[in-house]
Amino acid sequence: MVTTTKPHGRRTRPGRTRPARAKADRGQVAIEYLGFLPLLLLVAMGAIQLGLAAYAASQAGTAARAGARTAASVDARGSGQSNARDAVSDWVEDGGFHYREDGGRDITVTVRVKVPSVVPGLNGWWAERSATMPNEHSAFGF
């Protein structure tokens, strides 16, 4: 094996020299990662929040259809509001649940549920969906 002597008298092996710049950059990646981590967490929380909003909107639509179907049906069991409330997941319903029914020739039910929040400061989101069904009561002369 061939060894060389540096000007300051230390011996080194070939291919094992480290430039001075590499010594100064040690730990730089860890600092950059720590700086990027809050942004990465914010993006992840935003994605989770959008997923929760979509889920709450889906739950509101399902509840509106169940409520309208029950309110418009002649032989339905229970009230439109109770069936709409039963169609919503408990953890979505706990945040807030509003039911509105408009009658006439057609029954329109509107349901609003509060979107659960994981991002601080986004507490005022509501998902609202409506469903309309033909009123069987008016069709049969009830």
Side-chain angles (χ1 to χ4, degrees):
M1 177 178 341
V2 178
T3 59
T4 59
T5 304
K6 289 190 169 186
H8 47 72
R10 280 204 254 161
R11 302 175 109 194
T12 61
R13 292 185 181 165
R16 293 210 132 205
T17 60
R18 186 179 282 184
R21 184 173 158 228
K23 288 181 184 179
D25 286 345
R26 292 174 80 186
Q28 182 67 28
V29 173
I31 299 297
E32 289 176 3
Y33 182 70
L34 287 175
F36 186 69
L37 191 60
L39 179 64
L40 186 63
L41 288 173
L42 187 64
V43 169
M45 285 175 50
I48 291 170
Q49 185 65 50
L50 286 176
L52 285 173
Y55 181 71
S58 173
Q59 289 285 293
T62 300
R65 283 190 302 276
R69 189 179 309 114
T70 303
S73 179
V74 174
D75 57 348
R77 295 177 192 244
S79 69
Q81 184 171 3
S82 66
N83 285 341
R85 191 175 290 275
D86 289 343
V88 177
S89 298
D90 290 337
W91 63 274
V92 174
E93 179 186 355
D94 289 342
F97 180 89
H98 299 288
Y99 178 89
R100 188 176 70 235
E101 182 179 313
D102 298 321
R105 194 173 161 98
D106 293 331
I107 300 288
T108 300
V109 170
T110 303
V111 173
R112 280 181 85 193
V113 294
K114 189 156 176 73
V115 176
S117 178
V118 294
V119 177
L122 293 180
N123 297 331
W125 283 16
W126 288 86
E128 180 176 301
R129 294 291 181 263
S130 296
T132 302
M133 298 281 176
N135 191 351
E136 292 179 4
H137 300 281
S138 67
F140 292 116
F142 294 119

